[in-house]
Amino acid sequence: MAQPLPPRELPPGYTPPARPATPQILAGSLKAPLWLRAYFQGLLFSLGCGIQKHCGKVLFLGLLAFGALALGLRVAVIETDLEQLWVEVGSRVSQELHYTKEKLGEEAAYTSQMLIQTPRQEGENILTPEALGLHLQAALTASKVQVSLYGKSWDLNKICYKSGVPLIENGMIERMIEKLFPCVILTPLDCFWEGAKLQGGSAYLPGRPDIQWTNLDPEQLLEELGPFASLEGFRQLLDKAQVGQAYVGRPCLDPKDLHCPPSAPNHHSRQAPNVAQELSGGCHGFSHKFMHWQEELLLGGMVRDAQGQLLRAEALQSTFLLMSPRQLFEHFRGDYQTHDIGWSEEQASTVLQTWQRRFVQLAQEALPENASQQIHAFSPTTLDDILHAFSEVSTARVVGGYLLMLAYACVTMLRWDCAQSQGAVGLAGVLLVALAVASGLGLCSLLGITFNAATTQVLPFLALGIGVDDVFLLAHAFTEAPSGTPLQERMGECLQRTGTSVALTSINNMVAFFMAALVPIPALRAFSLQAAIVVGCNFAAVMLVFPAVLSLDLHRRHCQRLDVLCCFSSPCSARVIQILPQELGDRTVPVGIAHLTTTVQAFTHCEASSQHVVTILPPQAQLVPPPSDPLSSELFSPVGSTRDLLGQEEGIGPKAARKSLPCARWNLAHFARYQFAPLLLQSHAKRFSSLKAVLPPPATQAPRTWLHYYRNWLQGIQAAFDQDWASGRITYHSYRNGSEDGALAYKLLIQTGNAQEPLDFSQLTTRRLVDKDGLIPPELFYMGLTVWVSSDPLGLAASQANFYPPPPEWLHDKYDTTGENLRIPAAQPLEFAQFPFLLRGLQKTADFVEAIEGARAACTEAGQAGVRAYPSGSPFLFWEQYLGLRRCFLLAVCILLVCTFLVCALLLLNPWTAGLIVLVLAMMTVELFGIMGFLGIKLSAIPVVILVASIGIGVEFTVHVALGFLTAQGSRNLRAARALEHTFAPVTDGAVSTLLGLLMLAGSNFDFIVRYFFVVLTVLTLLGLLHGLVLLPVLLSILGPPPEVVQMYKESPQVLSPTTPRGGTLRWGMTPTLPQSFARVTTSMTVALHSPPLPGAYIHPASAEPTWSPAATPAANSSATE
C-alpha cells in the first residue's frame, strides 16, 4: 500500500493548469439533456455496430439503391425557356401571360435582331460619318442574309415584320406596294438617305428602272401614275402618314456617292452632315407620323450640353424586326411558294431560327479586325443557343473536378504506416459521394423537377464539396477511437462520436436549401430543391454506406493487406507498429515496459440522500506538459490522425531507443493545439463594417395609347367632313363629291346603333364624333373602331393595339350606289387591347423595381375606375420577382435561423450553444452580403439563394467546434483548445475539399457562373473557415456555456509554481480546505508510458516486445485515511 507523501511536493517538471476543472457529479438540470444525448448516441452506436457486422450486405444494398436512383437521370429534362425558368407558376405575371396568350395566341408580335456598334477605344465619339459608314456596312451585310430551306430561298424581305400594309382596290398598285412596303428597321441610318439601302424590296413598272427605296419618291410616283389609275385614297393615306419624299429627301452620309439623289439636302454642297445634329430627337422610318425612333432606341452613352443638345455618343444600335413563327406561318399558308412543302408553324420557326443564326454570324464578320469599330449582334435564337450551351453538362470539367477530389482525398489520407493509411477509404468516399450526387439528381428527375443551367453547371461541384466534408470527418474520427475499443465496436464508437455532427450539418443544409426555395423564381427554386435532395442523399450515403466502407477497410488491415492495392500483403505486418511516447522533461523514455508509480490525491463524497459514495479523481493523468503549452495538454495527444502531413518514421529495431524529429510528429491537430489555440485565445478587438449603395431613380415617359390614335383619326375625319359640309360637297343626301375622310365621317355620323332603325340622317349636324371634352360617344365607339381598323392601317400598326376579338373587316366604297355600304357593323366588346410605352434609364435592379412599381400603381388606379390593366414586357417578365425579393430574403433568413436554432438545440440539447452558433451564422451572412456589395454584386435572385444557403453551409464550419467544446471538460479556454485540437483537421479538410469542388467553376466559359457562383461561394467558404476556427472559439472561450458537469471544488489560489525537483522525488501541492462530507484518499497507480497499437497493427510472433491488453495494467490499490 502506498504511503502518503509529504505535502507541497510536486512531480518533476509538473505545471499545474491555470484553472483546472475536475469532472464531478452531474448537475440536476443537465441530467435530462445528457441522458437524451446518450440515448441518441446509443442509437448511433447500435447503427454503427450493425453496419460493421453486415458491412458487405449494407454496401451492396446501398450501392444498388443509389445506382437505381441514378438511372433516373435518363429521364431528366433540361428547361431552357426563359419564361418557364423565370416566371413563377400561379404568380401575377404568370396569370397575365396566360391571359395574353389565351386572347392573342402569342405574346410577341415580332422578334428583334440587334446590331450594336461600339468603338474599340473606350470613350471615343461614335457620331461621325465614318463610324456610321461602318455601321451601314455591317447592317447591309446582315440585311442581305439568305438561307435555303425546304427548297426555298428566304431573305429579309420575306420574313421581316411590316407595319400596316394597306389594302388597295387597284390590283397592280397593290402588288407593287406589297413588294415595296418596307420592313420595320429601327436604325440611326434612317436619319439619312443610306437607310433606304437596308430595304430590299423592289418593283417594276413598264418604261421605268426598277423601283427601290433608294430612288423612290412617292409624291413623284403618284403624279406619274395619276392619269392611269384612281389613287386618291392611297394618296390621302400617304399624306396622313406624312411619307413625303421618303428617303430621297434626307441628307446623304456620303454626298460623293454616285447614287446620292439630287433631292438630298447636301447633294449639291457635297458636305458631310452633322451627325449629332441629325440624330437629335431621333429618326423616322418612311412615315414621319407613325415611325419615330427615339434616341434611346438608337444611341447609347449619350452626352448633352447644358441646353440638352446631343454632343456625342458611344454606341449605335439597329434593330431588325421579324415576324413571329405564327405570323410567318399564317402569311405563307396557302401561298403558291409553300403549297408543296407541307408548310407548318414548326417549319416557320426553323426558317426564322436559321436566318437569325446566319444574321449574327455575318454581322459579326462584317467589319475587318483592324477596324476602329466593333459589331455585336444579338437575336432571340442567340439567347436560346446560349441557354442550351449553358445548360449542357461539361463532361471534361465534371471529370476533372472529381479526379482532382479523388487525388486530394487519396493523398491526404495515404500514410507510410500501412496500419493507418486510408487512401482507399478516401477514394471510395469520393466515389460514393459522386454516386450519391447522381442518385439525388436522378431522384429529382423522377419527381419531375426540371434541370436548368444552375443544376448542370454548379450543383455537381457544390454537392461534391459539401458531401466530402462529412467523409473526412468520419474517417478522421474512425482512426481516433479510444484505446481499448473492441474491434467489433469501432464503427459504433465512430458514429457515436461524430454522428451528431454529421446529422446537424446535413439537416441544416437541407433546411437551408428548402428555405432558399422560397425565392419566387422557378429556376432557382428548382436548384434549391435539387440541392436539398442531393444533400439528403449525401447524408444517407455517409451515414449508412460509408461506415460499411470503413468497416471493410478495417477488415483489410486485419487481413494485413496493402492500402489501395489490397490484393497484396502489407510489408508492415511482419514487424511491430510501435507508437512512441512523447518526451518526459529533457529525457527520453526507452521503448519497453516503463512504469512510473505516482501518488495522487482523490476525494470521496457521501450523498446524504442516497448514501452513495462517489470517488473523484483529477481530470486525466496530467504529467509533464510541455512548458510552451499554457492549456495543459495531455501527455498522449492523438498521433493517429488521418490528417498527418508527414508520416511517422519507422524504427530501425524493435528495441532501439530513438527520438522522433519534430517534423515527423507535426500534424494539423498538433498545430491547432500548440500554436493556433494559444495565439487565438487571447483578447483581440474585432470590427466589422457594412457597405451601402445608393441608386438613382429611373426616368419615365408618358405613353401614347391606341385611344389617342383612334381619337385623333376621328377628329381628322370630322374636320374633313366639316370642310366638305361647309363647301357643299357633302349634303344630307350625298357624300360622293366630298373627300374620302368626309365620306367616312358621313357614314359614322348617321349610325344610331339601333337594329330597327340603324340610320338617322338628321344627326349629321347635331352630333360630333368626338365631343368638346375629347370623349367618343358610346353608341359610336365600336362602329367607329371597325372603320378605323379598316381605314387607317398605318395608325393601327403604330398603336400596336392587338385587339381581341378583332373588329370585323369593312371596306369603304365611296361610289357604292346600293346603300349597303352605309351600314357599319359594330365591333364586339373588347376583351383585350394593349399599347406600347418606353422605359428609359433602366440600368440597375432598383431602376427596374421603381419603374415596375410605378406602372403597377397606374394599373391599380385604372382598375379602380373599372378597367382591368396590367403591364407586360421584358422588365415586368424578369424583374417582377424583385418587388418582393427582399421580403422573401428576410423571411427565409429569419425562418432558417430559427430552424437552425431549434435543430441545434434539439440535437445538442443546449440552447446556449445553439444561440452562439446562430449568432455566428447571422454574422457570416451579413458579412457575405457586405463583401458582395464591395465586389459589385448587387442583391438579385441568385445572390439571395447563396445568402440563404450560406447559413446551412456555415453550419459545416461551426457545429463541429461547438460540439467539441460542449463535450469537453475543464475551463472555457481549455475546452476551446481541445475542441480546436480535435476539429481543426476535419474542418480544414472540409474547407479545402469545398474549394476544390468550386475550383472547377472558375473554368466555366460563362462569366456569370464565375462571378455569381465561384467568387461568392469561395468567399463564403473562406468566411466559414474563419468564423468556425477563429471567431467561434473566441466566443466560446468568453461566452461559452458551462461544462456539463458540476465543479465540486476549486483549486486553491495558493498552489505553488513548479519547483526544482530534488532527488527525483514527486511532490504534490497542499490540498485546499474541503467540505465536511469529503475525505482524502491516497492512491497509487502504475502508468504505462507507451500506447497500445491500433487494431490492425499486429505484433510479430518473433518479437521480443510483450503484447498489451487492458488486463495487463495493474489495478490501483487505494486506502482511505481521515
Side-chain angles (χ1 to χ4, degrees):
M1 180 178 301
Q3 299 297 325
L5 292 178
R8 294 188 178 273
E9 291 187 358
L10 298 172
Y14 173 72
T15 303
R19 295 182 61 85
T22 58
Q24 323 298 1
I25 305 173
L26 300 180
S29 61
L30 294 177
K31 289 182 179 180
L34 289 180
W35 182 87
L36 290 174
R37 186 185 301 155
Y39 178 77
F40 179 66
Q41 291 179 340
L43 296 178
L44 293 174
F45 179 81
S46 301
L47 175 65
C49 293
I51 293 175
Q52 182 174 349
K53 183 178 180 181
H54 307 283
C55 56
K57 300 175 183 178
V58 172
L59 182 61
F60 174 76
L61 293 177
L63 294 180
L64 185 64
F66 285 118
L69 289 176
L71 293 178
L73 289 173
R74 300 181 61 181
V75 297
V77 177
I78 298 179
E79 183 63 70
T80 58
D81 185 358
L82 269 180
E83 182 181 317
Q84 299 296 325
L85 290 173
W86 213 252
V87 179
E88 183 182 12
V89 177
S91 64
R92 176 171 59 181
V93 175
S94 177
Q95 295 174 0
E96 293 167 352
L97 288 175
H98 177 74
Y99 182 82
T100 302
K101 291 183 177 181
E102 180 184 356
K103 301 306 178 183
L104 297 184
E106 200 166 347
E107 180 192 1
Y110 48 79
T111 58
S112 302
Q113 283 62 234
M114 298 180 183
L115 287 182
I116 300 175
Q117 177 179 324
T118 57
R120 293 190 183 274
Q121 184 175 355
E122 186 176 356
E124 181 181 347
N125 183 22
I126 205 171
L127 299 183
T128 62
E130 294 77 15
L132 261 73
L134 293 175
H135 194 73
L136 173 63
Q137 179 181 342
L140 270 176
T141 303
S143 66
K144 303 301 180 184
V145 170
Q146 289 188 355
V147 294
S148 296
L149 285 174
Y150 312 113
K152 310 295 179 183
S153 178
W154 307 89
D155 58 11
L156 177 63
N157 198 49
K158 287 184 178 181
I159 65 176
C160 70
Y161 175 77
K162 297 182 178 182
S163 175
V165 181
L167 298 177
I168 306 298
E169 297 177 0
N170 189 299
M172 180 187 69
I173 300 299
E174 183 179 5
R175 287 191 297 271
M176 183 182 69
I177 291 176
E178 184 179 357
K179 293 181 178 180
L180 274 176
F181 204 82
C183 299
V184 178
I185 304 175
L186 289 67
T187 173
L189 297 170
D190 273 349
C191 284
F192 309 94
W193 166 76
E194 281 78 3
K197 294 184 177 182
L198 303 182
Q199 305 295 341
S202 63
Y204 171 75
L205 287 177
R208 289 181 56 93
D210 286 349
I211 300 175
Q212 298 179 350
W213 283 102
T214 53
N215 58 16
L216 173 61
D217 185 345
E219 295 177 349
Q220 182 181 355
L221 180 63
L222 289 178
E223 291 179 1
E224 295 178 0
L225 296 178
F228 306 101
S230 176
L231 299 175
E232 182 182 356
F234 184 53
R235 185 190 301 273
Q236 291 184 2
L237 179 66
L238 295 182
D239 290 341
K240 286 190 292 184
Q242 300 176 8
V243 174
Q245 292 183 304
Y247 290 97
V248 297
R250 303 177 187 182
C252 297
L253 270 175
D254 183 11
K256 299 179 182 179
D257 192 329
L258 296 178
H259 298 92
C260 180
S263 55
N266 61 343
H267 174 75
H268 299 289
S269 64
R270 301 292 180 178
Q271 293 183 356
N274 186 331
V275 174
Q277 183 178 350
E278 295 293 337
L279 289 175
S280 295
C283 299
H284 296 84
F286 78 96
S287 169
H288 279 258
K289 181 177 181 180
F290 297 122
M291 297 182 177
H292 177 223
W293 323 136
Q294 293 89 345
E295 292 177 354
E296 290 78 7
L297 298 176
L298 309 176
L299 305 175
M302 293 178 288
V303 178
R304 304 178 186 274
D305 60 13
Q307 288 73 33
Q309 294 297 319
L310 181 64
L311 295 179
R312 54 187 291 117
E314 297 181 5
L316 299 174
Q317 175 176 282
S318 291
T319 305
F320 296 73
L321 302 187
L322 304 183
M323 286 187 280
S324 65
R326 172 66 62 85
Q327 287 178 326
L328 185 61
F329 167 69
E330 294 291 345
H331 182 73
F332 283 100
R333 185 170 63 173
D335 191 272
Y336 74 94
Q337 301 181 62
T338 59
H339 74 281
D340 59 338
I341 61 174
W343 184 241
S344 64
E345 190 171 345
E346 290 75 14
Q347 290 176 325
S349 177
T350 302
V351 168
L352 290 172
Q353 292 176 359
T354 305
W355 192 93
Q356 289 172 8
R357 292 188 180 98
R358 186 64 175 164
F359 169 89
V360 172
Q361 177 185 356
L362 292 183
Q364 292 178 340
E365 298 173 354
L367 300 184
E369 295 182 358
N370 59 352
S372 61
Q373 308 289 320
Q374 53 187 350
I375 294 293
H376 312 276
F378 177 81
S379 71
T381 301
T382 305
L383 179 59
D384 293 339
D385 292 342
I386 291 174
L387 283 176
H388 279 92
F390 192 42
S391 302
E392 291 179 356
V393 179
S394 176
T395 306
R397 287 198 300 117
V398 171
V399 172
Y402 279 73
L403 287 178
L404 182 63
M405 189 67 72
L406 284 169
Y408 174 76
C410 182
V411 169
T412 56
M413 303 178 74
L414 198 64
R415 297 291 176 270
W416 292 111
D417 188 346
C418 304
Q420 297 183 10
S421 182
Q422 290 183 304
V425 169
L427 294 176
V430 173
L431 292 176
L432 179 62
V433 170
L435 179 61
V437 172
S439 64
L441 294 176
L443 179 59
C444 294
S445 301
L446 296 175
L447 294 176
I449 304 176
T450 58
F451 289 14
N452 55 66
T455 305
T456 57
Q457 295 285 324
V458 178
L459 191 53
F461 307 105
L462 179 61
L464 173 65
I466 294 177
V468 173
D469 294 354
D470 293 332
V471 168
F472 282 125
L473 182 65
L474 259 68
H476 185 276
F478 189 71
T479 59
E480 288 192 343
S483 302
T485 302
L487 193 66
Q488 65 273 15
E489 297 179 0
R490 285 290 299 275
M491 198 63 248
E493 180 67 26
C494 177
L495 284 186
Q496 178 175 290
R497 296 173 60 190
T498 60
T500 303
S501 297
V502 174
L504 269 174
T505 56
S506 300
I507 292 174
N508 278 284
N509 272 325
M510 286 189 288
V511 173
F513 283 114
F514 279 127
M515 288 299 103
L518 292 175
V519 175
I521 295 176
L524 299 179
R525 178 169 295 173
F527 171 78
S528 301
L529 293 176
Q530 289 162 345
I533 293 174
V534 168
V535 169
C537 290
N538 280 341
F539 175 53
V542 171
M543 289 293 289
L544 299 177
V545 182
F546 186 66
V549 174
L550 290 173
S551 301
L552 288 176
D553 185 68
L554 189 64
H555 182 70
R556 185 266 307 171
R557 291 193 283 176
H558 178 75
C559 295
Q560 304 174 10
R561 299 290 183 178
L562 278 177
D563 190 16
V564 182
L565 304 176
C566 55
C567 296
F568 300 95
S569 299
S570 170
C572 305
S573 60
R575 60 179 180 272
V576 175
I577 304 299
Q578 179 64 56
I579 300 178
L580 292 179
Q582 294 185 1
E583 296 178 4
L584 179 62
D586 297 329
R587 295 167 293 175
T588 301
V589 179
V591 176
I593 298 298
H595 296 93
L596 178 65
T597 301
T598 64
T599 301
V600 299
Q601 293 181 353
F603 305 96
T604 58
H605 173 64
C606 181
E607 296 186 44
S609 58
S610 59
Q611 297 182 352
H612 290 168
V613 177
V614 180
T615 301
I616 304 169
L617 296 175
Q620 293 97 14
Q622 300 288 337
L623 296 179
V624 200
S628 60
D629 181 11
L631 300 172
S632 295
S633 174
E634 299 177 10
L635 174 61
F636 297 109
S637 62
V639 295
S641 172
T642 59
R643 237 56 70 203
D644 292 342
L645 299 183
L646 294 174
Q648 185 179 6
E649 295 193 9
E650 301 177 5
I652 57 176
K655 297 184 179 181
R658 64 175 181 195
K659 181 176 181 179
S660 301
L661 295 175
C663 62
R665 300 192 309 271
W666 195 93
N667 53 58
L668 290 179
H670 185 279
F671 168 76
R673 179 66 172 176
Y674 296 109
Q675 281 83 33
F676 185 71
L679 177 65
L680 180 63
L681 300 179
Q682 300 177 4
S683 298
H684 294 286
K686 297 177 176 61
R687 298 180 180 179
F688 301 95
S689 60
S690 60
L691 301 175
K692 182 178 179 180
V694 181
L695 304 178
T700 58
Q701 180 184 13
R704 180 176 174 84
T705 71
W706 62 270
L707 284 169
H708 293 92
Y709 289 98
Y710 179 30
R711 185 181 63 182
N712 292 345
W713 178 81
L714 289 175
Q715 291 172 338
I717 64 174
Q718 179 72 64
F721 173 83
D722 292 342
Q723 292 178 1
D724 291 341
W725 183 270
S727 62
R729 291 191 295 271
I730 294 181
T731 64
Y732 281 105
H733 305 289
S734 176
Y735 57 83
R736 292 172 185 162
N737 296 326
S739 62
E740 291 285 341
D741 286 351
L744 287 174
Y746 179 94
K747 294 180 180 181
L748 280 174
L749 287 171
I750 63 176
Q751 305 297 317
T752 64
N754 189 342
Q756 301 297 329
E757 297 180 358
L759 304 177
D760 184 359
F761 294 92
S762 64
Q763 297 179 150
L764 287 172
T765 57
T766 60
R767 72 187 311 182
R768 308 286 293 179
L769 298 178
V770 180
D771 63 20
K772 61 180 180 180
D773 295 326
L775 300 178
I776 304 171
E779 64 274 11
L780 282 179
F781 184 87
Y782 284 108
M783 287 181 286
L785 191 64
T786 299
V787 178
W788 176 58
V789 169
S790 302
S791 305
D792 188 17
L794 292 177
L796 176 65
S799 70
Q800 302 181 32
N802 284 333
F803 294 127
Y804 181 85
E809 291 186 3
W810 179 82
L811 292 178
H812 165 59
D813 185 0
K814 180 180 177 181
Y815 301 100
D816 176 53
T817 58
T818 63
E820 291 297 328
N821 196 244
L822 291 176
R823 297 176 181 270
I824 301 175
Q828 298 183 36
L830 293 177
E831 298 180 21
F832 179 88
Q834 66 183 23
F835 62 87
F837 58 96
L838 177 65
L839 296 175
R840 298 186 295 179
L842 303 182
Q843 298 180 354
K844 302 176 181 178
T845 299
D847 303 338
F848 285 91
V849 169
E850 186 170 349
I852 293 172
E853 289 176 344
R856 289 290 183 185
C859 293
T860 302
E861 185 178 352
Q864 295 173 354
V867 179
R868 180 188 174 191
Y870 60 88
S872 64
S874 296
F876 305 95
L877 182 64
F878 300 117
W879 275 269
E880 175 81 15
Q881 293 81 2
Y882 290 90
L883 295 180
L885 186 63
R886 290 182 179 271
R887 179 182 59 82
C888 289
F889 169 55
L890 294 176
L891 178 64
V893 168
C894 293
I895 294 177
L896 182 55
L897 289 176
V898 172
C899 291
T900 302
F901 175 80
L902 294 177
V903 170
C904 293
L906 289 175
L907 292 183
L908 295 179
L909 300 170
N910 193 302
W912 191 335
T913 305
L916 288 178
I917 293 176
V918 169
L919 174 63
V920 172
L921 295 177
M923 293 175 61
M924 189 170 67
T925 303
V926 173
E927 291 166 14
L928 179 61
F929 192 16
I931 293 176
M932 287 166 50
F934 179 75
L935 295 175
I937 301 175
K938 306 302 179 184
L939 184 65
S940 61
I942 293 176
V944 162
V945 170
I946 297 178
L947 284 170
V948 175
S950 67
I951 298 176
I953 296 175
V955 175
E956 297 271 357
F957 302 98
T958 55
V959 72
H960 306 310
V961 177
L963 184 60
F965 178 88
L966 189 62
T967 56
Q969 301 171 2
S971 66
R972 286 193 176 103
N973 279 356
L974 180 61
R975 292 159 63 201
R978 286 176 176 168
L980 282 174
E981 179 180 2
H982 292 287
T983 61
F984 188 89
V987 170
T988 303
D989 277 331
V992 173
S993 66
T994 302
L995 291 175
L996 287 178
L998 297 176
L999 184 62
M1000 291 298 102
L1001 299 179
S1004 175
N1005 297 327
F1006 303 96
D1007 180 70
F1008 170 79
I1009 290 292
V1010 177
R1011 179 176 176 83
Y1012 282 87
F1013 284 98
F1014 170 71
V1015 173
V1016 177
L1017 289 174
T1018 299
V1019 171
L1020 170 60
T1021 304
L1022 296 178
L1023 281 178
L1025 193 63
L1026 291 175
H1027 284 73
L1029 297 181
V1030 177
L1031 177 61
L1032 183 59
V1034 173
L1035 288 178
L1036 291 173
S1037 67
I1038 300 174
L1039 304 174
E1044 294 179 331
V1045 292
V1046 175
Q1047 194 170 8
M1048 301 303 296
Y1049 71 93
K1050 296 182 180 180
E1051 185 179 3
S1052 173
Q1054 286 86 18
V1055 174
L1056 296 180
S1057 301
T1059 58
T1060 304
R1062 294 175 298 177
T1065 59
L1066 301 177
R1067 302 188 179 189
W1068 292 91
M1070 286 292 293
T1071 303
T1073 304
L1074 299 175
Q1076 295 179 358
S1077 58
F1078 282 92
R1080 184 179 300 122
V1081 179
T1082 302
T1083 304
S1084 120
M1085 62 176 61
T1086 303
V1087 182
L1089 294 184
H1090 67 285
S1091 299
L1094 293 174
Y1098 295 92
I1099 306 300
H1100 192 269
S1103 174
E1105 289 284 356
T1107 59
W1108 176 92
S1109 66
T1113 304
N1117 298 319
S1118 61
S1119 61
T1121 59
E1122 295 295 336

